Amino acid sequence: MSKMSEEQNEQQKTLYHQKAHNIEAETPMPLSDNLEVDKRVTANGSKKQPLYHQNSFEDGGSTASDILHLYGKKNTARVKLSISYSEGGTRSYLEQPPSIEDCLETNDDFRFQSRTCKCLPKRYVLALLSFFGFFNVYCLRVDLSVTLVAMTSNHTRVRADGTEYTALAEFQWNRELQGHLLAAFYYGYIITQIPGGYIAARFGGKNLFGFAILISGFLTLLTPLAAKEHWVLLFVLRLVEGLCEGCIYPAMYSIWSRWAPPMERAALVTIPHSGSYAGSVAGTLLAGYLCEVCGWSWVFYFFGILALIWVVVWQILASDSPEDDNHISNVERRMILESLESEHTSQKLSDDLPWFSIFTSLPFISIAVAHTCEGWAFGLIQTSFPKYLSEALNYRIFKSGQYTSLIYFLMGFSTFVSGQLSSCLRRRGVSATVLRKVFTGVGFILSALSFMIAPNIYYHEISAGLLIFGAGLEGIAWAGFGVNHLDIAPQYAAILIGITNTCATVPNIIVPIVVGIISKTGERSDWMLVFYISGLTLIVGTSFYIVFGSGEVQPWAGGVENEEGEKESLLNDFSTKEDMDEIENDNETKDVANENKIDKES
């Protein structure tokens, strides 16, 4: 490329001076000897929009893509440039990332800018990583419940040539001992919820999340060896694994308190939650398959290695906050930080926590009540639904397992869809309080009705289908109370989820005992009472939450509702230019009114 003549250089200086003063070129950029066109071709042969790059001037200071990006149908430049001159030539560079106000003033599409050169915003990359993290966690959690059958009873195995044979039980553990081995995980799980929340809020959730799964994966690899040595070693191993995984939810909420814009909380938080249900389904099915084909030991080897691989990816790509992330665009980082500026989530957690205010806050108590009721219903499905299908409806174990997996699938699907829908409505101006109460109420009431109606239907397929459908829709509630911790106290969200998740874990221990007492005979009438109690529990939880729940930041949480909420709602949505103009005009009207008020006071 030949050097620029003095005349061409002066023309370029004039052009960039205009850009530096925010004069936007509405006609295509003129091509000169120092501009080259990158005409990219897509896979189907169609040409993409040309991208013009400014080559180096005499001082060699400018770069290709840092000068300007031309986009739009007319290839018009719509970015601001700052200019500085030196003796050797001209250097051009982009200003700092535009703020929310800049985007509104220039009518630029903020979403488009935040995704330039990215197929997915970093916060959604983090959500996908979290999805697979929870997927791994629940695979590690359910593996023993499946393999314990193969370990303690005769079962069918398949040889490499496809023939079947009967494998004898390797361990002679009675039912009581098996129950303690399965419960060992929850003994540890319930202990570390609140301490894990404090650690995550104080020091960040990324390393805690990764460390918890790292230790769990490593212990899973040691499970076959521990089981063959002595059942006490297996019990201790599962106990420690529960202690580690008790930190998972607090760590994740700590991360989202710094990453999730208020208008996107439901969409982002429910993605990892849906991963827990996907892990329950996949873990159960894969464990059963591996037991038949490879033997029960390979279940632990497979899931342990999978967890360790995930930890490596997580540690490379994840970070505690946008400030610490090296893979996020400047525009997305600034948008997230400005949207959370009033919530103080980036500040260090003080030693003087408002414990009294937390435990006497009715909005928080309502979340705890709702979470506990959800834990009761989920505990019933998890521990007793297969037994109901077997005893009351006379279904075979294999069919009962399929139906239970179907419930987990529906829960994951409804959790994900409800989260996206909730965020969509939030962007359109629906208050957080209304959305949290509506989604919690819909999820709980539908499940309660199915619990109370289905046992009275004597057509087995209809009864089972109604229970599956109603229990699956319980996932809708996660877009309500499940996100509410971040609404009322973003800075303390990790601690709050630790407290409520502790409350929700207690029913997992109590439900099997209650079911065992009520359904001694296994008759349908006994099971009716079991499901009536569960349905009534959900109705009570819904009523309490609707009366006392809130989506507003609480006074003891050290902040007020984000004043930039409406702007963020606009910029995170597929908003039109007219909508942006309307917001800008409203802001100008408010500024004029404030100026007039100041003049009158003067």
Side-chain angles (χ1 to χ4, degrees):
M1 181 80 61
S2 61
K3 294 184 178 180
M4 293 179 56
S5 64
E6 292 183 3
E7 181 178 356
Q8 290 173 324
N9 198 5
E10 290 298 324
Q11 291 177 353
Q12 293 296 329
K13 289 180 180 181
T14 301
L15 174 63
Y16 287 118
H17 268 303
Q18 293 175 343
K19 302 304 295 179
H21 289 84
N22 301 335
I23 300 175
E24 197 172 30
E26 292 298 337
T27 56
M29 285 287 293
L31 294 176
S32 59
D33 290 342
N34 70 307
L35 290 176
E36 59 184 19
V37 180
D38 179 13
K39 295 182 178 179
R40 303 180 182 182
V41 180
T42 59
N44 59 9
S46 62
K47 292 183 178 180
K48 287 186 176 180
Q49 173 187 331
L51 186 65
Y52 298 91
H53 299 308
Q54 175 71 28
N55 283 336
S56 300
F57 293 138
E58 292 182 2
D59 66 343
S62 59
T63 61
S65 60
D66 291 339
I67 303 297
L68 56 88
H69 292 285
L70 298 174
Y71 57 89
K73 295 182 180 179
K74 296 182 180 180
N75 294 330
T76 57
R78 299 180 64 84
V79 293
K80 299 178 181 179
L81 299 175
S82 297
I83 311 301
S84 62
Y85 297 102
S86 60
E87 295 180 359
T90 303
R91 181 187 301 274
S92 302
Y93 57 91
L94 283 170
E95 284 184 337
Q96 62 180 345
S99 66
I100 294 178
E101 289 76 14
D102 291 335
C103 295
L104 291 172
E105 291 172 1
T106 59
N107 293 330
D108 284 341
D109 187 343
F110 191 86
R111 290 182 316 95
F112 181 86
Q113 294 183 38
S114 68
R115 298 182 187 184
T116 302
C117 301
K118 283 182 175 291
C119 61
L120 197 65
K122 181 56 191 288
R123 59 191 182 279
Y124 283 93
V125 172
L126 189 65
L128 288 177
L129 287 173
S130 304
F131 173 91
F132 288 108
F134 274 77
F135 179 93
N136 275 288
V137 165
Y138 275 77
C139 285
L140 298 177
R141 186 178 300 188
V142 304
D143 53 9
L144 184 62
S145 62
V146 177
T147 56
L148 198 59
V149 178
M151 295 165 66
T152 59
S153 61
N154 299 337
H155 58 283
T156 302
R157 292 280 304 277
V158 181
R159 293 189 177 91
D161 58 2
T163 59
E164 296 181 354
Y165 68 98
T166 300
L168 299 178
E170 192 168 344
F171 304 96
Q172 304 300 321
W173 295 334
N174 58 41
R175 286 184 174 272
E176 183 179 357
L177 178 56
Q178 292 179 40
H180 285 298
L181 291 174
L182 290 174
F185 175 91
Y186 293 98
Y187 297 155
Y189 185 76
I190 199 172
I191 293 174
T192 52
Q193 296 284 334
I194 298 176
Y198 179 81
I199 293 172
R202 188 71 185 270
F203 303 105
K206 174 204 169 181
N207 290 330
L208 181 62
F209 193 32
F211 179 77
I213 299 183
L214 173 67
I215 300 300
S216 296
F218 181 72
L219 293 177
T220 299
L221 292 175
L222 296 179
T223 299
L225 178 63
K228 293 175 182 178
E229 286 295 326
H230 200 279
W231 67 264
V232 173
L233 291 178
L234 179 59
F235 181 90
V236 172
L237 185 147
R238 292 290 293 183
L239 178 68
V240 176
E241 191 172 335
L243 289 171
C244 293
E245 293 192 18
C247 304
I248 295 297
Y249 278 96
M252 183 48 54
Y253 274 69
S254 171
I255 292 172
W256 287 130
S257 70
R258 296 172 173 85
W259 272 96
M263 301 295 165
E264 297 182 13
R265 279 174 179 157
L268 292 168
V269 173
T270 52
I271 291 175
H273 281 306
S274 61
S276 65
Y277 296 117
S280 297
V281 175
T284 301
L285 297 178
L286 285 174
Y289 174 79
L290 291 173
C291 279
E292 289 188 2
V293 177
C294 305
W296 63 268
S297 296
W298 281 97
V299 175
F300 300 103
Y301 297 147
F302 177 79
F303 288 133
I305 293 173
L306 195 65
L308 297 182
I309 293 174
W310 177 88
V311 170
V312 174
V313 178
W314 171 261
Q315 290 299 123
I316 294 173
L317 297 180
S319 57
D320 283 314
S321 66
E323 300 103 313
D324 303 329
D325 195 278
N326 296 323
H327 308 284
I328 187 176
S329 69
N330 289 329
V331 177
E332 185 184 4
R333 178 188 289 112
R334 185 162 184 171
M335 182 273 289
I336 295 173
L337 295 180
E338 288 188 2
S339 70
L340 298 174
E341 184 176 1
S342 65
E343 298 183 346
H344 313 294
T345 55
S346 61
Q347 298 179 3
K348 183 179 179 180
L349 191 67
S350 63
D351 294 326
D352 187 18
L353 295 176
W355 291 111
F356 180 79
S357 298
I358 291 175
F359 284 105
T360 57
S361 171
L362 284 176
F364 170 68
I365 294 174
S366 69
I367 298 174
V369 170
H371 203 168
T372 303
C373 294
E374 187 277 337
W376 181 282
F378 184 73
L380 176 67
I381 296 299
Q382 188 178 40
T383 62
S384 303
F385 184 69
K387 188 177 181 181
Y388 165 75
L389 295 177
S390 177
E391 292 182 355
L393 303 185
N394 298 317
Y395 283 164
R396 297 177 58 187
I397 296 177
F398 178 73
K399 193 170 186 178
S400 299
Q402 288 181 320
Y403 281 3
T404 304
S405 297
L406 183 57
I407 290 179
Y408 291 142
F409 173 80
L410 289 177
M411 282 182 172
F413 181 78
S414 63
T415 299
F416 174 79
V417 172
S418 62
Q420 307 309 307
L421 178 60
S422 177
S423 289
C424 181
L425 294 174
R426 185 77 179 94
R427 296 187 192 110
R428 282 161 174 76
V430 184
S431 71
T433 300
V434 171
L435 288 173
R436 303 304 179 241
K437 292 182 178 180
V438 167
F439 279 90
T440 301
V442 170
F444 280 4
I445 294 300
L446 290 178
S447 295
L449 291 176
S450 70
F451 286 168
M452 301 176 78
I453 295 175
N456 293 285
I457 300 176
Y458 284 87
Y459 293 97
H460 291 180
E461 292 297 331
I462 297 177
S463 177
L466 183 59
L467 273 175
I468 292 170
F469 181 74
L473 293 182
E474 184 192 330
I476 295 174
W478 278 104
F481 78 89
V483 188
N484 209 189
H485 311 74
L486 291 162
D487 294 324
I488 66 170
Q491 189 178 9
Y492 306 120
I495 297 174
L496 301 189
I497 187 63
I499 298 172
T500 64
N501 209 27
T502 300
C503 297
T505 304
V506 173
N508 284 274
I509 302 173
I510 297 177
V511 167
I513 300 174
V514 174
V515 171
I517 295 173
I518 296 176
S519 62
K520 289 182 178 180
T521 63
E523 297 294 331
R524 178 185 288 267
S525 58
D526 294 340
W527 283 103
M528 285 182 183
L529 181 58
V530 169
F531 283 105
Y532 283 157
I533 293 174
S534 299
L536 184 61
T537 300
L538 290 175
I539 292 175
V540 170
T542 303
S543 302
F544 192 92
Y545 184 80
I546 289 176
V547 172
F548 298 108
S550 173
E552 304 296 324
V553 180
Q554 298 302 296
W556 49 266
V560 295
E561 195 65 22
N562 189 2
E563 296 176 356
E564 297 294 329
E566 294 300 325
K567 287 183 180 181
E568 187 196 358
S569 171
L570 173 69
L571 298 175
N572 282 290
D573 193 16
F574 292 89
S575 303
T576 63
K577 181 179 179 180
E578 289 76 17
D579 294 331
M580 293 183 179
D581 292 337
E582 183 178 354
I583 294 293
E584 183 180 3
N585 292 334
D586 290 341
N587 292 335
E588 290 176 356
T589 303
K590 292 178 182 178
D591 293 338
V592 172
N594 291 333
E595 290 175 2
N596 293 336
K597 183 177 180 180
I598 293 173
D599 292 339
K600 289 181 180 179
E601 293 176 353
S602 299

